[in-house]
Amino acid sequence: MKKRVCRFLALVLILSLLSVGAAAANAGDYDIPNDWSHDALVFAVENDILRGDEHQKLNPQKNITRAEMAAVLVRLLGANDRGDLSAFPDVDSDAWYYNELSAAYAAGIFGGSDGKMLPNAPITREQAVVVLCRAFGIVSDNRSAYTAFSDSKKVSAYARDSVSALKEQGLMNGYEDGSLRPQSHITRAEIAQLLCNILDCIADTPDEIKTSGTVLYRGTQALPDELELDGTLILAQSAPAAFAPTDWEISGALVLRTGKDTDADLTKVRTQKLVCAPLGGKVSGGADKVFLWGVASSYTGSAKQLTVLGGDHTFAGSSEKLTVRAGSLTHRGDSKTVSLDEKTRLVLSGDAESVVIDGGGVRLTVSGRVGAVTVNGKNAVLDGSGSVGTLTIQAENCSAKLSCDTVDDVWYENYQKEHDAALKTVRTMRVACTVQRATAIYQNQNFTGYLRDLPVGTTVYNEWHPAGDAFFVSLEDGTKGWVPRWDCDIPDDTVTTDGTLDYSKATKEGFVDLRGYDSQTDYLVWVSRYTQKVIVFQGKKGDWEVIRTFPCSSGANNTPTPEGIYTINARTTRWNFSYYYVDNVSIFSGGHAFHSILIDYSGTVFDGRVGIPLSHGCVRMLPDDCRYIYNLPMGTRVIIY
């Protein structure tokens, strides 16, 4: 029956321990559900891959753990090389899964996260997709196919390429409602179905290799010299490490999942796609599309398109299009165009027409000649003994220590200059008031701590007017203090802001960076009293990035929102007043808070104006906008200026 062998491996995961040489089980011995998983479960049992527990239960709906998934994949691939798991404190060296998990780690199929491996945690659907693609070399050029799922925004960045590969090749279609549910756990029966979708044949001897479909060869016998396959051939780690076919024609892809001593001469192999993912060794040959994955390999040949998906590889040859999505590559040869994703490294010994750096943290070392380099990712490092015709810098913090004919620092001209000039550009709300009768300015609100007299006509600037007979002011010479309210005229109608203005991204980030603001959280909020905007940043001190800008209404001329550095320290859902209420209240200083526009008790808007200063000192915002602030972490720093 078609897929008989592949289904058995899918359900290896449902079997924790499999005794070698045991007699095949009878499907009739188990209560197998009559649903979509029925065939897979039957074939798994009949091929002695699935056995029940001590109660003769198959448990197909039970979630599979990360360790169980690792065990399934390394058994399928015949992986025996072990990796060092000592860096993961949550891995028990005496556990049943240790050898399998260390083999999966060594093969680059499994990796930890934040210093943990989480072996006993149920694997999520997107994690399962990633390790399946790594194990069987499933790749695609269509990196956006994952967006076809209705919940594609929930797919983690690291999983998008793998989800796209399975989706684009029709190996995973999701649920009836069009969703993937990437963060949900996956059952053993669902893994079985995925494996059945991926594999059509498992061959343990050369004569079991079919002529069509996706074939996994995990045997140890020598590979045939001649082979014609309408499909894809995956060579497992247990397959011979050294081979040189004389006549292979594979219509789909050839995937090398072989060992560290791989020595594959593929010069007489005809295939559209070659995926090199061995533990190490060398491969020579050619294909239209070549993908380097796994741990490490040395590839010699040519390719119209060569893509590095991870690991540390070398490439001797030429390509029309070279892309490094992850990992590093030493390229001895020429490429027409080169693209580098985030945190990748390329050592380019030959020549290239153009190199585009799209991700941050990239290192490019050139010893040949590149016609043009465009840097779109920040923190790029360019060095080497080679040269570049035109270097175009469009991102911050680029270090270029190599010879360039022309440097066009677009980033500096369009961003850095504005960033560095932000303290001169940014203005604040200044309400000029005139002293109506001779008075004095004091250090304290209760008119103690005499500073000096203020003659009639002196201009003072209202900084804060709490309830009472005093208000806090600043003078032209920078002096600040308290003045009797009724000795001065505070204008109601004078325009002291420009709500139509929105500073550039560079100016916003420059202002908070250059002033050295920090926060207890990953967020920072600046209320620009002059532009009547609430600006939200994410990052850290000296490296803040604008993520949101909202219109607002800060305090009116008579009761301005007080300038200063504050922290969101309390929240309440609602404040009630005589004729209206406000909600989503985030308090940052005493009675000063972010809150909604004024809402009538009937539920209609009482006063929905924003963009002009008109509050009693708080920061009014539109309902959805203030709800965003309300959901920021407690302890977030607030800057009023």
Side-chain angles (χ1 to χ4, degrees), residues 1-8 43 196-197 199-201:
M1 296 182 184
K2 182 176 173 64
K3 298 189 177 180
R4 176 171 180 171
V5 185
C6 81
R7 289 190 172 109
F8 86 73
F43 286 119
C196 289
N197 291 346
L199 301 169
D200 294 298
C201 173

Side-chain angles (χ1 to χ4, degrees), residues 416-547:
Q416 199 64 46
K417 286 174 70 173
E418 291 185 23
H419 178 281
D420 294 346
L423 298 185
K424 295 180 180 179
T425 303
V426 171
R427 301 174 60 183
T428 188
M429 174 179 173
R430 302 206 73 193
V431 182
C433 310
T434 304
V435 174
Q436 299 294 308
R437 56 180 178 230
T439 188
I441 183 170
Y442 301 88
Q443 292 179 350
N444 302 305
Q445 188 174 358
N446 56 359
F447 302 134
T448 61
Y450 168 83
L451 293 175
R452 71 171 189 260
D453 290 328
L454 299 177
V456 174
T458 301
T459 298
V460 300
Y461 296 95
N462 184 8
E463 302 292 346
W464 180 35
H465 181 203
D469 293 329
F471 72 129
F472 188 66
V473 301
S474 61
L475 306 183
E476 292 283 5
D477 62 5
T479 301
K480 292 185 178 181
W482 294 86
V483 173
R485 162 68 182 90
W486 308 111
D487 290 347
C488 300
D489 172 56
I490 301 178
D492 291 328
D493 300 327
T494 301
V495 177
T496 57
T497 63
D498 184 0
T500 66
L501 176 67
D502 189 13
Y503 294 128
S504 68
K505 181 177 186 291
T507 297
K508 293 172 184 175
E509 293 173 356
F511 176 75
V512 295
D513 286 345
L514 296 173
R515 284 211 165 193
Y517 294 128
D518 62 3
S519 179
Q520 299 174 29
T521 74
D522 294 334
Y523 298 90
L524 177 76
V525 180
W526 168 30
V527 179
S528 170
R529 298 189 301 178
Y530 185 74
T531 64
Q532 292 292 287
K533 301 290 191 301
V534 173
I535 306 152
V536 184
F537 303 83
Q538 189 171 20
K540 60 184 178 180
K541 180 179 178 179
D543 189 20
W544 294 109
E545 182 176 358
V546 174
I547 57 173

Side-chain angles (χ1 to χ4, degrees), residues 144-315:
S144 61
Y146 77 96
T147 60
F149 291 107
S150 60
D151 55 351
S152 61
K153 292 182 179 179
K154 296 181 180 180
V155 178
S156 300
Y158 77 89
R160 290 171 186 165
D161 282 352
S162 295
V163 172
S164 292
L166 283 190
K167 178 62 176 175
E168 194 266 340
Q169 295 184 30
L171 299 173
M172 181 179 63
N173 295 314
Y175 292 93
E176 292 182 358
D177 62 358
S179 67
L180 175 64
R181 305 174 196 174
Q183 309 303 327
S184 298
H185 298 143
I186 190 166
T187 67
R188 299 180 178 192
E190 288 172 327
I191 287 293
Q193 187 62 61
L194 274 176
L195 285 168
C196 289
N197 291 346
I198 294 169
L199 301 169
D200 294 298
C201 173
I202 304 298
D204 289 313
T205 62
D207 58 5
E208 292 178 348
I209 297 176
K210 305 299 183 182
T211 58
S212 64
T214 298
V215 178
L216 171 64
Y217 180 68
R218 63 175 186 179
T220 59
Q221 298 178 32
L223 291 158
D225 288 333
E226 298 181 359
L227 174 68
E228 185 173 343
L229 173 63
D230 183 14
T232 291
L233 176 62
I234 305 168
L235 300 181
Q237 198 177 119
S238 53
F243 60 100
T246 58
D247 186 11
W248 278 13
E249 184 168 354
I250 301 172
S251 66
L254 173 59
V255 180
L256 304 185
R257 254 299 178 189
T258 44
K260 60 185 177 182
D261 297 323
T262 295
D263 185 359
D265 181 354
L266 308 179
T267 54
K268 296 187 178 178
V269 173
R270 298 179 301 282
T271 185
Q272 292 183 351
K273 184 187 298 184
L274 173 62
V275 182
C276 297
L279 290 185
K282 57 184 181 180
V283 180
S284 60
D288 285 348
K289 296 182 180 180
V290 177
F291 295 84
L292 304 183
W293 210 351
V295 179
S297 63
S298 175
Y299 176 72
T300 301
S302 61
K304 289 184 178 179
Q305 177 179 316
L306 188 138
T307 306
V308 181
L309 302 176
D312 184 8
H313 307 275
T314 62
F315 168 39

Side-chain angles (χ1 to χ4, degrees), residues 323-345:
T323 303
V324 184
R325 294 189 194 174
S328 64
L329 178 69
T330 298
H331 179 22
R332 294 187 291 270
D334 302 334
S335 288
K336 187 174 182 179
T337 63
V338 179
S339 177
L340 304 176
D341 284 5
E342 188 168 358
K343 295 181 180 178
T344 57
R345 179 171 184 182

Side-chain angles (χ1 to χ4, degrees), residues 23 36 48 105 120 132 141 227 277 309 418 428 469 471 503 548 558 626:
W36 58 269
D48 201 26
Y105 181 65
N120 295 313
L132 284 170
D141 296 325
L227 174 68
L309 302 176
E418 291 185 23
T428 188
D469 293 329
F471 72 129
Y503 294 128
R548 293 286 192 280
N558 190 52
C626 73

